[in-house]
Amino acid sequence: MKTANSSPLVQKGFTLVEMTVVIMFGLALASAGMMLLNQQVNTVRIYNEQDFILKEAPRINNTLTSLLSRADAIRLHENFTDAVQDQNPVIADANVLVAAFREVDNSVTFGIISFETIAGEDLLNYYFFDPTQTAPVQGTPSWTISRVVDDANFNLVQGLFQGTLTGPNAEQITYTISPNQ
């Protein structure tokens, strides 16, 4: 029998066991989410580390192949000034490549590919040089081939051009191209 003062036992809140189960479930979900986030971050890092080889190297290859396949002659220099003044050519350990192109009117123009550091940034630049015009000025290229090359080393080996480029993560790629002779 119920009296006016008596009420059925009403339970409010959660038991300790229920709270423990919810907290453990939440921790498991958070842990799984952190593992997935960590895996995604690692995947993006690996992809970005290979960006030089996957994106930049093929673009550089197309540029070098296109230029050197049209060149009538090439020469190497240790620095930009020697290249413009046609002094002190070398056959190994060069940072500057000069390609000579014979034009339709039988005149000769030059393309200069120079690895240089300008304002603290390593650049692989291309300069167009017409000897009848004012010589190009280092730091004002016709265009920049790449901004992510950390080092470049050019060599002539048995008449073939060999260019070894080093990327931002110390990856190296060597191009061997036969200039149009």
Side-chain angles (χ1 to χ4, degrees):
M1 216 154 119
K2 287 188 177 180
T3 62
N5 284 347
S6 68
S7 64
L9 189 58
V10 177
Q11 185 180 20
K12 293 183 180 181
F14 299 102
T15 66
L16 185 58
V17 172
E18 291 170 336
M19 286 298 291
T20 304
V21 168
V22 169
I23 290 172
M24 295 301 274
F25 185 70
L27 287 173
L29 282 176
S31 177
M34 288 303 291
M35 287 189 315
L36 289 173
L37 179 64
N38 189 38
Q39 181 181 6
Q40 185 66 25
V41 167
N42 283 336
T43 301
V44 169
R45 182 185 51 78
I46 290 169
Y47 180 76
N48 286 339
E49 285 178 357
Q50 305 213 356
D51 197 45
F52 176 72
I53 292 176
L54 294 174
K55 292 181 181 175
E56 225 25 57
R59 224 174 38 78
I60 295 169
N61 179 55
N62 288 343
T63 302
L64 291 176
T65 302
S66 174
L67 288 170
L68 295 181
S69 67
R70 296 183 313 114
D72 291 314
I74 63 171
R75 67 179 190 267
L76 303 177
H77 296 274
E78 290 181 356
N79 60 60
F80 186 82
T81 304
D82 285 350
V84 171
Q85 296 174 356
D86 192 14
Q87 297 176 351
N88 307 318
V90 296
I91 61 170
D93 298 325
N95 289 328
V96 181
L97 163 74
V98 179
F101 304 104
R102 185 154 312 277
E103 301 297 331
V104 177
D105 64 357
N106 225 16
S107 65
V108 177
T109 59
F110 299 93
I112 300 172
I113 297 174
S114 177
F115 175 73
E116 51 203 14
T117 302
I118 299 173
E121 185 179 15
D122 291 332
L123 303 167
L124 188 62
N125 286 331
Y126 177 82
Y127 297 84
F128 174 76
F129 180 32
D130 184 344
T132 63
Q133 306 291 323
T134 305
V137 176
Q138 187 171 17
T140 58
S142 301
W143 75 80
T144 297
I145 298 170
S146 178
R147 294 182 182 278
V148 297
V149 174
D150 277 358
D151 192 21
N153 186 290
F154 303 143
N155 299 291
L156 290 174
V157 179
Q158 297 179 352
L160 299 175
F161 166 77
Q162 276 189 348
T164 301
L165 303 179
T166 303
N169 297 306
E171 61 269 51
Q172 286 190 334
I173 189 160
T174 300
Y175 301 96
T176 302
I177 302 169
S178 176
N180 184 19
Q181 299 285 332

